[in-house]
Amino acid sequence: MKPRTPDEDHPRDRLIAAATGMFHDLGYHSVGVQALCEQADVAKGSFYHFFESKEDLTIAVVDGGTITGVTADAGFAFVTVEYPIDRYD
């Protein structure tokens, strides 16, 4: 899969950004899909177009959304790499 560049107008990227912040601030179990969608300004039905579940969204958050160049101040889980597996090299 060819990595995408970040696009703050793309609903998938807005969901990942919202989840990153909300999971950090509130904790995973305190954040629901509806709240994520409201924060990202994305319709709830669109959420399920991009992710099968909140767990799948979480994987995208940890993987940096498979976007090259994602940076976050969250430590090892968000190391900037083209492919997440490269973190272990």
Side-chain angles (χ1 to χ4, degrees):
M1 171 186 247
K2 182 180 177 184
R4 299 185 308 106
T5 56
D7 179 0
E8 65 186 37
D9 292 328
H10 195 281
R12 182 181 188 277
D13 295 334
R14 291 197 318 263
L15 285 164
I16 291 169
T20 300
M22 293 177 77
F23 292 164
H24 177 268
D25 295 343
L26 304 172
Y28 176 82
H29 294 291
S30 298
V31 178
V33 171
Q34 183 64 40
L36 283 165
C37 291
E38 290 171 5
Q39 179 72 25
D41 194 27
V42 173
K44 190 171 182 179
S46 295
F47 175 91
Y48 292 103
H49 171 75
F50 298 109
F51 305 102
E52 290 185 22
S53 64
K54 187 170 90 169
E55 290 80 12
D56 285 341
L57 171 61
T58 304
I59 291 168
V61 168
V62 171
D63 285 345
T66 65
I67 300 171
T68 301
V70 169
T71 58
D73 209 12
F76 180 75
F78 290 96
V79 172
T80 304
V81 293
E82 183 170 342
Y83 298 99
I85 193 69
D86 292 342
R87 290 185 203 127
Y88 301 102
D89 288 340

